Amino acid sequence: MSRIHKGGPRYLSTPIVSKEIKMAQQQYETCIEACNTCADACDTCAASCLQEADVKMMARCIALDIDCAQICRLAASYMARESEFASAVCQTCADICDACADECSKHQMEHCQRCADACRRCAQLCRQMMGAGSGASATGVGMAAH
């Protein structure tokens, strides 16, 4: 009888990988949710801004909405994979969310105000995650192996 452990050979088993991914997702769950909510709010805001009477006046808002939605989705993806670069991406995400929130808050439309709120929350949680998830330091990136 072979000495393969119960459940088959270890190299064919995926529970360890699944468990690691699940742990990463739990660690970042709140921030990932905020990033996805923000991306959706930005998409809605951009689409709504395009329906406004003076679209030209909304050009910067629309552009920032698009940038913000994209970086939020990227940050959520990096956190979900527990990438070593998640903190760096989240820093950029927080900065773009701040810019988008500042622009959206200048406009009185409800979709802009909801977007600004979502962006502020996302920026706050990204900055908190950076402090909590700083296991991989920037100084460790690019270091040569012995």
Side-chain angles (χ1 to χ4, degrees):
M1 177 145 301
S2 113
R3 296 189 138 230
I4 297 174
H5 72 80
K6 256 184 175 175
R10 285 184 188 243
Y11 62 88
L12 293 178
S13 177
T14 58
I16 293 172
V17 173
S18 296
K19 186 176 180 181
E20 289 172 356
I21 291 170
K22 190 170 189 153
M23 286 172 46
Q25 288 173 337
Q26 288 172 347
Q27 179 182 358
Y28 300 123
E29 184 177 329
T30 304
C31 192
I32 290 169
E33 183 179 311
C35 284
N36 288 326
T37 298
C38 186
D40 291 345
C42 288
D43 285 342
T44 299
C45 187
S48 298
C49 286
L50 288 169
Q51 301 303 315
E52 294 294 334
D54 189 359
V55 175
K56 198 170 200 170
M57 179 187 78
M58 305 305 294
R60 185 160 194 269
C61 186
I62 295 165
L64 284 169
D65 285 336
I66 293 167
D67 287 347
C68 192
Q70 290 295 306
I71 194 68
C72 285
R73 288 189 176 97
L74 183 67
S77 174
Y78 273 55
M79 285 183 282
R81 294 184 290 108
E82 200 172 3
S83 168
E84 67 182 287
F85 299 105
S87 288
V89 172
C90 286
Q91 175 63 56
T92 302
C93 184
D95 293 343
I96 293 173
C97 283
D98 286 339
C100 191
D102 290 346
E103 179 62 28
C104 283
S105 66
K106 294 176 185 177
H107 307 288
Q108 295 308 308
M109 289 74 89
E110 186 178 335
H111 58 85
C112 284
Q113 294 303 310
R114 281 194 309 262
C115 186
D117 291 343
C119 287
R120 285 187 194 102
R121 175 167 161 61
C122 186
Q124 176 188 9
L125 289 173
C126 278
R127 288 192 176 96
Q128 287 175 6
M129 188 289 307
M130 288 165 38
S134 59
S137 71
T139 57
V141 175
M143 288 178 54
H146 297 340

